[in-house]
Amino acid sequence: FQTLTTVPEGLVVRQGMPRAAAGSLPEGFGSLADFVKEATSAREEALRERQTREQLQEALQKMQKEVQSRFPALKSQREELENLRRTASQLTRQNDTWPCLRQTPP
C-alpha cells in the first residue's frame, strides 16, 4: 500500500502513473483529492474483506481438520452400533422362536 504525496505538476504520483489532469478525472469526482480519497477507501475496504475471507478460510480449515481427526472414531462407533442392532434383532428372533420363552397370557 503506497502513500500518495503532493508532487509538482508532471511528475509521477505512483510509478508508471502520470499525475491526472483535472479534465481527465472519472465522472463523479470533482477533484483529484476526491478521486484519491475514494480509491484509498476502496482499497482499505478490499483489504478488510480479504482479511475477513482469510480468517474464515482458516476457521474452516481448522474445523475440517478436527472433523477428519474424529472421523475414524465416529466411523468405528457407527459400525459397532450397526453390529449391536443386528445382534439384538437376531436375539429377539431367537427368543420369539423358543416356546419356553414365549409369554403366555395369565
Side-chain angles (χ1 to χ4, degrees):
F1 184 58
Q2 296 177 348
T3 304
L4 300 178
T5 58
T6 306
V7 293
E9 191 68 39
L11 291 181
V12 182
V13 175
R14 278 193 279 163
Q15 187 175 357
M17 188 171 146
R19 186 169 180 172
S24 66
L25 291 175
E27 192 174 312
F29 297 98
S31 67
L32 180 59
D34 291 341
F35 177 74
V36 170
K37 184 178 177 182
E38 184 70 28
T40 302
S41 294
R43 190 172 297 130
E44 289 170 350
E45 182 179 351
L47 178 62
R48 283 190 303 272
E49 289 177 3
R50 189 180 93 228
Q51 290 171 338
T52 300
R53 185 177 60 249
E54 288 172 355
Q55 289 172 351
L56 289 172
Q57 284 180 319
E58 288 174 13
L60 286 172
Q61 288 174 349
K62 183 179 177 182
M63 289 172 52
Q64 183 179 12
K65 285 179 182 179
E66 180 140 355
V67 167
Q68 288 175 342
S69 72
R70 294 182 183 203
F71 180 75
L74 292 172
K75 184 178 178 185
S76 175
Q77 289 173 355
R78 181 177 180 172
E79 290 170 354
E80 183 179 355
L81 176 63
E82 290 172 358
N83 287 335
L84 290 172
R85 285 182 177 161
R86 276 194 297 275
T87 302
S89 178
Q90 289 171 351
L91 290 173
T92 301
R93 281 195 306 273
Q94 284 178 2
N95 287 341
D96 289 343
T97 60
W98 292 4
C100 63
L101 295 177
R102 288 188 191 149
Q103 291 187 3
T104 58

